[in-house]
Amino acid sequence: AALLPRPARGLTDRLYCGRRVCYEVLGVSRQASKAEIARAYRQLARQYHPDRYRGEPAGGEGSGAQAAHEKFLLIAAAYETLKDEETRKDYDYMLDHPEEYYRHYYHYYSRRLAPKVDVTIVILVTVCAISVFQFFSWWSSYNEAINYLASVPKYRIQATEIARQQGLLNKTKEKGKNRRSKEEIREEEEEIIKDIIKNKIDIKGGYQKPKIYDILLFQILLAPFYWCKYVVWYCWWIYCFTIKGQEYGVEEKLYIIRRYMKMSQSQFDSLEDHQKETFLERQLWIRENYELYKREQEEELKKKMAMDPRWKRYRRWMKNEGPGRLTFIDD
């Protein structure tokens, strides 16, 4: 019986105006309008404000600056309770139903501790900031890949040859008044070579050209569309290959292989074409063939590591001088 919740006995010290009724503190009735409440608050605030108090009696609450200060805090708490419609509604409900002790505590502190800014706005701003950072980060990675490819002799020579065939490099060398410095000509030629590399080379994986539809904001906005598309595709898959028993096409076979390898679409697209042809030749969409292929790859990797001199040195160091070995040095 002692553990059971006990009904509240009227008002509570830690809620709203404590043991005092907020309406009585401001000297208004429960039917008072917002304008009447605000007017009563301004009158009492001018009377009991610490900066305006000059030692007069604090009106029934004792005398002195301390009593006036406490009276002013009580007036401010009453006004904060009654000026908001939702808070006033909760307070009126507490006055009418004082026995619902825990419900009043919950409503009071949930409003006091609630964030002042709308959570939706915070989430939206956060998603937009992440999307902007994501987009510019992808552009930075893409430009780094282009700059690297422009420094590789194989791609640079091919791009330079294409630029000469198209007559782009000859336009940079002008005479007369429009003649430019060697540094300006070199920079323009570098940009032409990079543009040709961008158009001729298909970069895949983490350094591919960023697309605005791949950022987080558009992914969230298009999530319902992608979900409906996946449901339609899944139903089509079940109907064609499970119910009707049709044979897999090339795309379907590659999809099953990618699922077996646990690779994302971008990772699988970054593989060379001859690797995908090898997957199809070995019929890796069949589970047994894939398991055999996986064991072969693991064995091949073990052989490469066994023959790698760096791996041999590491194993020798772990055996002779590894972190688990204690030695004493004699001076």
Side-chain angles (χ1 to χ4, degrees), residues 82-148:
L82 301 180
K83 74 175 183 178
D84 184 69
E85 292 293 337
E86 297 296 328
T87 308
R88 183 178 179 181
K89 188 183 297 183
D90 291 341
Y91 183 71
D92 290 342
Y93 187 86
M94 187 188 75
L95 295 178
D96 297 334
H97 304 84
E99 71 280 356
E100 299 183 14
Y101 182 79
Y102 296 109
R103 183 181 187 277
H104 305 322
Y105 258 95
Y106 169 75
H107 282 281
Y108 177 76
Y109 284 105
S110 63
R111 293 190 183 279
R112 289 287 300 273
L113 302 177
K116 302 302 181 182
V117 183
D118 191 1
V119 179
T120 305
I121 298 177
V122 175
I123 295 175
L124 181 60
V125 172
T126 304
V127 170
C128 291
I130 294 174
S131 301
V132 171
F133 174 78
Q134 186 181 30
F135 186 75
F136 283 102
S137 177
W138 283 353
W139 263 114
S140 177
S141 301
Y142 176 71
N143 291 329
E144 288 180 4
I146 295 298
N147 293 334
Y148 170 75

Side-chain angles (χ1 to χ4, degrees), residues 118-238:
D118 191 1
V119 179
T120 305
I121 298 177
V122 175
I123 295 175
L124 181 60
V125 172
T126 304
V127 170
C128 291
I130 294 174
S131 301
V132 171
F133 174 78
Q134 186 181 30
F135 186 75
F136 283 102
S137 177
W138 283 353
W139 263 114
S140 177
S141 301
Y142 176 71
N143 291 329
E144 288 180 4
I146 295 298
N147 293 334
Y148 170 75
L149 294 176
S151 64
V152 177
K154 173 184 176 182
Y155 301 109
R156 188 176 185 85
I157 293 173
Q158 294 180 5
T160 305
E161 186 64 26
I162 294 173
R164 287 200 181 97
Q165 292 176 1
Q166 297 178 357
L168 298 176
L169 296 181
N170 297 331
K171 295 181 180 180
T172 60
K173 299 177 181 180
E174 299 174 351
K175 298 181 180 180
K177 296 181 179 180
N178 297 327
R179 187 175 182 180
R180 291 167 294 175
S181 62
K182 293 183 178 179
E183 186 65 25
E184 293 176 347
I185 295 174
R186 190 179 301 109
E187 290 179 358
E188 187 172 348
E189 290 179 352
E190 190 70 20
E191 292 297 326
I192 292 173
I193 291 173
K194 289 180 180 180
D195 290 338
I196 293 175
I197 292 176
K198 290 179 182 179
N199 296 327
K200 296 297 181 181
I201 295 182
D202 184 18
I203 302 177
K204 298 179 180 179
Y207 292 92
Q208 64 183 357
K209 187 175 182 179
K211 299 178 182 178
I212 193 170
Y213 293 105
D214 292 336
I215 64 176
L216 178 61
L217 178 61
F218 281 92
Q219 290 292 313
I220 294 175
L221 294 177
L222 297 175
F225 169 74
Y226 290 141
W227 185 82
C228 295
K229 185 179 178 180
Y230 174 77
V231 171
V232 173
W233 172 86
Y234 186 77
C235 295
W236 170 82
W237 183 282
I238 296 296

